Amino acid sequence: PIADAGLGNNLSCSKPSLILDGSASSSGLVLEYTWTSTDGQFQGPTDENTAMVDAPGTYQLLIVNTCNCCESVDIFQVDQDTIEPMADAGLDRVLNCQDSSFVLGGPGSSTGINFTYSWTSAGGSIDGPADGLNALVSTSGTYQLVVFDQDNGCEAIDQVVVDVDRELPQVDAGPDFILTCVDQEFDPIATASVGAGFSYNWSTNGGSIAGPIDQLMTTFDQPGTYQLV
């Protein structure tokens, strides 16, 4: 008899199982079919001219003519491609008064014509394209990037969290004051948020700042309007 296990084929994420097609082999009531494998795995019967498998390996089709005891063998190799692409949504970000929007997406995502991209969000909104490698956002939320490999049907997912911090610092330049012949200078009693992340800047309209302009405490020696930022 003629044994034909079919053409080569591969398992993948989109094809977790496949049918080994031995229908091109000899057929008849006197023929017996036996599929075997030392490293593969079958799903369903192995005594027909087709067999379903769900693991890579070497598969063998044996056909025996029960009338003359002649037999024929064909070997079929099944490979597997389930390598996932890389998805990199980038680092977590914080929107603030200076950074009102961000472009999400890190350098680690897979690129090429066979990859597609999809951005979604829980609680946020996507301002830019949701089907590109990068996405523009301006609201807080959890953003998810899905990278899909069209060649093998595998996908990868990564998430990034965007928070918001737009709390204004506290500032009080202090009470008004009148310079006199006795009090020719004035040290304002200013209060403001303090810490490593805060800076200060004094400016004036018509006045004169005799002390430092980048410190919370300073000195005025001319009348005018003074501003602390």
XYZ file of all heavy atoms in Angstrom, residues 120-162:
299
model
N -6.091 49.760 25.497
C -7.372 49.932 26.178
C -7.110 50.516 27.556
O -5.960 50.540 28.023
C -8.130 48.605 26.316
O -7.304 47.655 27.028
C -8.484 48.036 24.952
N -8.180 50.983 28.207
C -7.994 51.622 29.514
C -9.150 51.302 30.436
O -10.299 51.190 29.995
C -7.879 53.141 29.356
O -7.785 53.755 30.631
N -8.827 51.155 31.715
C -9.817 51.041 32.779
C -9.757 52.328 33.591
O -8.806 52.562 34.313
C -9.537 49.829 33.668
N -10.757 53.175 33.402
C -10.811 54.423 34.153
C -10.202 55.605 33.459
O -10.425 56.749 33.860
N -9.420 55.396 32.420
C -8.791 56.490 31.694
C -9.369 56.627 30.297
O -10.355 55.990 29.944
N -8.742 57.477 29.498
C -9.167 57.653 28.108
C -7.927 57.867 27.252
O -6.946 58.453 27.708
C -10.127 58.839 27.965
O -9.501 60.048 28.352
N -7.990 57.389 26.029
C -6.861 57.456 25.106
C -7.110 58.585 24.121
O -8.097 58.579 23.382
C -6.681 56.117 24.381
C -6.399 55.012 25.415
C -5.555 56.194 23.366
C -6.407 53.625 24.842
N -6.217 59.581 24.120
C -6.373 60.735 23.234
C -5.822 60.468 21.845
O -6.352 60.974 20.854
C -5.668 61.956 23.838
C -6.205 62.313 25.220
O -7.399 62.099 25.446
O -5.420 62.799 26.051
N -4.747 59.713 21.776
C -4.118 59.427 20.493
C -4.583 58.100 19.934
O -5.528 57.487 20.447
N -3.939 57.598 18.883
C -4.380 56.341 18.278
C -4.250 55.174 19.249
O -3.262 55.061 19.971
C -3.431 56.180 17.078
C -2.235 57.015 17.416
C -2.761 58.174 18.213
N -5.277 54.324 19.252
C -5.289 53.165 20.139
C -4.754 51.914 19.461
O -4.716 50.847 20.076
C -6.713 52.902 20.645
N -4.325 52.030 18.211
C -3.851 50.864 17.466
C -2.401 51.023 17.030
O -1.967 50.379 16.070
C -4.735 50.610 16.249
C -4.777 51.806 15.298
O -4.219 52.867 15.640
O -5.373 51.669 14.210
N -1.659 51.859 17.745
C -0.254 52.056 17.418
C 0.658 51.580 18.527
O 0.205 51.152 19.603
N 1.942 51.657 18.272
C 2.929 51.248 19.265
C 2.889 52.149 20.490
O 3.189 51.705 21.599
C 4.317 51.265 18.627
C 5.494 50.735 19.446
C 5.264 49.276 19.815
C 6.789 50.888 18.659
N 2.508 53.434 20.308
C 2.424 54.398 21.397
C 1.026 54.997 21.441
O 0.300 55.014 20.441
C 3.456 55.510 21.221
C 4.870 54.975 21.140
O 5.444 54.891 20.062
N 5.446 54.600 22.258
N 0.647 55.505 22.618
C -0.671 56.108 22.796
C -0.538 57.364 23.651
O 0.203 57.379 24.635
C -1.641 55.127 23.459
N -1.268 58.414 23.271
C -1.269 59.673 24.017
C -2.428 59.669 25.006
O -3.569 59.393 24.638
C -1.406 60.854 23.057
C -1.474 62.248 23.691
C -0.147 62.588 24.363
C -1.839 63.294 22.646
N -2.127 59.993 26.293
C -3.162 60.017 27.325
C -3.020 61.286 28.154
O -1.920 61.844 28.273
C -3.085 58.777 28.242
C -3.234 57.498 27.446
C -1.771 58.760 29.019
N -4.134 61.737 28.713
C -4.109 62.932 29.562
C -4.983 62.769 30.796
O -5.255 63.745 31.479
C -4.577 64.157 28.759
O -5.891 63.962 28.256
N -5.431 61.558 31.086
C -6.242 61.280 32.273
C -5.649 60.090 33.014
O -4.959 59.248 32.425
C -7.700 60.979 31.894
O -7.735 59.889 30.965
C -8.371 62.198 31.272
N -5.950 60.039 34.308
C -5.443 58.933 35.117
C -6.201 57.655 34.791
O -7.329 57.673 34.302
C -5.574 59.265 36.597
O -6.942 59.452 36.946
N -5.587 56.531 35.083
C -6.210 55.242 34.853
C -5.166 54.169 34.648
O -3.952 54.428 34.673
N -5.637 52.960 34.459
C -4.771 51.831 34.130
C -4.891 51.557 32.637
O -5.991 51.337 32.125
C -5.161 50.578 34.929
O -5.029 50.856 36.334
C -4.257 49.412 34.589
N -3.759 51.585 31.952
C -3.749 51.413 30.501
C -3.077 50.084 30.154
O -2.066 49.715 30.748
C -3.015 52.572 29.835
C -3.733 53.891 30.002
C -3.526 54.675 31.141
C -4.626 54.352 29.046
C -4.193 55.880 31.310
C -5.291 55.553 29.202
C -5.069 56.314 30.337
O -5.739 57.510 30.502
N -3.659 49.390 29.190
C -3.178 48.059 28.809
C -2.806 48.035 27.326
O -3.559 48.506 26.478
C -4.259 47.013 29.080
C -3.886 45.601 28.630
C -4.954 44.592 28.987
O -5.010 44.091 30.120
N -5.806 44.273 28.049
N -1.643 47.477 27.053
C -1.180 47.296 25.687
C -1.168 45.810 25.355
O -0.594 45.004 26.084
C 0.234 47.868 25.524
C 0.953 47.543 24.208
C 0.217 48.126 23.010
C 2.400 48.017 24.244
N -1.825 45.465 24.237
C -1.816 44.094 23.727
C -1.049 44.090 22.409
O -1.388 44.836 21.485
C -3.237 43.551 23.505
C -3.193 42.137 22.926
C -4.028 43.553 24.804
N -0.001 43.272 22.343
C 0.768 43.086 21.112
C 0.434 41.704 20.567
O 0.572 40.697 21.271
C 2.277 43.219 21.370
C 3.054 43.026 20.067
C 2.604 44.571 21.986
N 0.008 41.648 19.299
C -0.453 40.407 18.676
C 0.438 40.063 17.496
O 0.712 40.906 16.640
C -1.909 40.561 18.217
C -2.482 39.332 17.561
C -2.849 38.246 18.314
C -2.641 39.282 16.181
C -3.380 37.114 17.711
C -3.171 38.158 15.567
C -3.534 37.069 16.335
N 0.902 38.817 17.477
C 1.719 38.316 16.380
C 0.803 37.615 15.385
O 0.250 36.554 15.677
C 2.784 37.347 16.916
C 3.785 36.926 15.846
O 3.461 37.043 14.648
O 4.882 36.462 16.208
N 0.645 38.206 14.213
C -0.260 37.640 13.221
C 0.264 36.339 12.611
O -0.516 35.577 12.035
C -0.505 38.660 12.097
C -1.140 39.953 12.583
C -1.331 40.953 11.464
O -2.383 41.011 10.833
N -0.298 41.755 11.202
N 1.555 36.083 12.744
C 2.120 34.870 12.167
C 1.731 33.620 12.949
O 1.426 32.577 12.358
C 3.642 34.975 12.087
C 4.093 35.963 11.020
O 3.262 36.308 10.156
O 5.260 36.397 11.055
N 1.776 33.702 14.284
C 1.481 32.502 15.073
C 0.267 32.660 15.994
O -0.072 31.728 16.726
C 2.696 32.080 15.899
C 3.128 33.140 16.896
O 2.436 34.121 17.133
N 4.290 32.939 17.502
N -0.364 33.840 15.981
C -1.556 34.030 16.799
C -1.272 34.241 18.273
O -2.209 34.242 19.076
N -0.013 34.439 18.650
C 0.321 34.653 20.060
C 0.235 36.136 20.395
O 0.450 36.992 19.538
C 1.724 34.138 20.364
S 1.932 32.353 20.102
N -0.053 36.438 21.660
C -0.142 37.816 22.099
C 0.516 37.987 23.450
O 0.681 37.030 24.211
C -1.595 38.295 22.156
C -2.442 37.625 23.222
C -3.865 38.170 23.271
O -4.350 38.663 22.235
O -4.482 38.090 24.357
N 0.879 39.223 23.746
C 1.475 39.586 25.039
C 0.775 40.844 25.545
O 0.330 41.679 24.749
C 2.970 39.810 24.914
N 0.692 40.975 26.865
C -0.033 42.083 27.486
C 0.851 42.734 28.542
O 1.543 42.045 29.301
C -1.348 41.591 28.133
C -2.265 40.971 27.076
C -2.060 42.734 28.843
C -3.518 40.334 27.670
N 0.834 44.061 28.569
C 1.523 44.805 29.621
C 0.652 45.983 30.030
O -0.121 46.500 29.210
C 2.893 45.288 29.151
C 3.744 45.801 30.308
O 3.565 45.307 31.436
O 4.577 46.705 30.093
N 0.761 46.388 31.292
C -0.051 47.478 31.823
C 0.824 48.587 32.379
O 1.955 48.352 32.809
C -0.998 46.972 32.926
C -2.105 46.062 32.441
C -3.065 45.690 33.557
O -2.719 45.764 34.744
N -4.260 45.286 33.204
N 0.280 49.790 32.371
C 0.943 50.937 32.974
C -0.118 51.745 33.705
O -1.254 51.864 33.242
C 1.656 51.792 31.904
C 0.691 52.289 30.849
C 2.402 52.951 32.534
N 0.252 52.279 34.858
C -0.679 53.057 35.688
C -0.308 54.530 35.584
O 0.867 54.895 35.752
C -0.643 52.596 37.157
C -1.543 53.483 38.014
C -1.081 51.145 37.265
N -1.298 55.363 35.308
C -1.111 56.808 35.246
C -1.902 57.445 36.381
O -3.126 57.284 36.456
C -1.570 57.379 33.892
C -1.461 58.898 33.889
C -0.744 56.782 32.758
